[in-house]
Amino acid sequence: MRESDALLTLGAACVTPYSVLMALGALLASLLTLALCRKSIGTERGVSLCACTVAGAVLGGHIVYVLCMFNYFASGLMLVFKPWLGGYTLYGAVLGGLCAALVYARVTKQSFATLCDLLAPGAALAIAIGRAAEAFTDQGLGEYVDAEALQLFPIAVRDSYGDFRMPVFAWEALAALVILAVVLSMRGKRRAGERAEVMLTLLGVSQIFLEQIRRDDYLRFGFVRFTQLAAIIVIAAVMALRILRSVRGGGAGAWTYVRTALLLVSVLVVIFIEFAFEKPQFMPVLRVCIALLGALCMASLLTLRGRGAVVGALCALIAALTVAVLVPLHMALVWENDLLLGVMALALAAIAAAVLIDGKRAE
């Protein structure tokens, strides 16, 4: 938060454009959820569900941030009780909102999966507005853009010091709007929880890549970024639940195991590639590993059909366009290896999303 942007001071707390937009995001997300709840669980229950989920998201976002930054907060514990000064993380809010929805489902004896489906579009909308609100902070920014020809939105914006930097927050807001459109388009009779699964998976898809190019006060443990780690864990959990459900329901065939094996091998290859960048002795086999990753991703796509094949093809096209557009900027922006690693991670997450959306393939 930039204190110079304060609109109003209420005691020790400051009302800023960022906080106003965050509150607006919560309000609009709640209104969207209420519209979806009207024909299912009713408006009255929808209001209480929104209240619980918003409170859980706020508390979860701050608590997880404090836990990740414990050494910092240990020297000033009072900052824990001053949430208006900042200190939130996206996946902390996601976890807090899910926990609140789970508690609400247990208390009211409703389906947790159904409630998550109702909350998914509103959550995507809130994330989009929250990311856009970072325009009023020095967060959500990437590398410096020194080439004058590129110093224009959406490639670059000015930070509080007057320097031009990549507006990652705008790209994240756009990604969240795309996710919103996808989950709202999932109409008709569907299995409970499917909309939420797709929302969480696509959120992870976007965060794995976009988090890679942030250059702000992101949370990290050494060289491991918290948001990327959380995104991978969430995608893995969703995929595991999907596979477990198929096995229990007798719907898991040979193609399910083939896709899973290809995905796991691809993950191991990406991990090796990332470490190969730091170890010169592995550089000779680096190109071979990258070619192998491409082959594994294509093999995964070939096992899909129907909606999964379409989504997989679109994800592959987006990854290709990302490379085609951003690689020419590589020399100007000095991204080193981050772009390549980000695109590879995006490719893996895209395959996971396509497998998730794909229907059961005929054996």
Side-chain angles (χ1 to χ4, degrees), residues 109-327:
K109 294 181 172 54
Q110 297 184 72
S111 168
F112 174 61
T114 299
L115 295 183
C116 287
D117 281 344
L118 294 172
L119 291 168
L125 178 59
I127 291 171
I129 297 176
R131 289 307 196 190
E134 291 182 345
F136 295 96
T137 71
D138 277 332
Q139 302 300 309
L141 298 175
E143 284 283 3
Y144 292 92
V145 181
D146 297 324
E148 292 186 7
L150 302 176
Q151 292 176 348
L152 71 166
F153 188 82
I155 299 176
V157 294
R158 286 184 183 272
D159 62 14
S160 61
Y161 299 100
D163 298 317
F164 283 95
R165 301 179 65 180
M166 296 163 51
V168 183
F169 66 85
W171 305 342
E172 290 183 307
L174 177 60
L177 289 176
V178 172
I179 295 171
L180 171 62
V182 170
V183 295
L184 284 178
S185 68
M186 297 176 64
R187 299 175 181 177
K189 187 176 181 180
R190 293 182 177 275
R191 175 181 50 79
E194 185 175 359
R195 177 181 283 177
E197 289 176 357
V198 171
M199 182 270 175
L200 289 172
T201 303
L202 295 181
L203 177 63
V205 167
S206 65
Q207 289 301 305
I208 285 174
F209 172 65
L210 292 170
E211 180 70 13
Q212 187 72 28
I213 56 179
R214 290 175 72 110
R215 294 293 184 275
D216 51 31
D217 299 327
Y218 55 83
L219 292 176
R220 64 180 180 178
F221 307 107
F223 66 89
V224 179
R225 304 187 185 214
F226 171 77
T227 298
Q228 285 183 314
L229 180 62
I232 291 171
I233 291 174
V234 169
I235 291 176
V238 171
M239 294 295 293
L241 289 174
R242 179 67 175 259
I243 293 171
L244 181 62
R245 187 183 300 113
S246 297
V247 171
R248 287 180 174 177
W255 286 112
T256 299
Y257 299 110
V258 169
R259 288 194 294 260
T260 304
L262 288 171
L263 185 61
L264 290 176
V265 174
S266 299
V267 170
L268 293 176
V269 172
V270 168
I271 292 173
F272 177 81
I273 291 173
E274 184 169 2
F275 281 100
F277 281 126
E278 308 297 331
K279 304 292 183 181
Q281 61 268 33
F282 293 131
M283 292 300 287
V285 297
L286 186 59
R287 292 184 180 180
V288 176
C289 290
I290 293 175
L292 176 61
L293 175 64
L296 288 168
C297 290
M298 289 304 299
S300 297
L301 291 176
L302 291 175
T303 67
L304 303 176
R305 70 177 180 88
R307 287 178 297 137
V310 174
V311 172
L314 288 175
C315 289
L317 177 62
I318 291 172
L321 290 176
T322 300
V323 175
V325 173
L326 296 180
V327 165

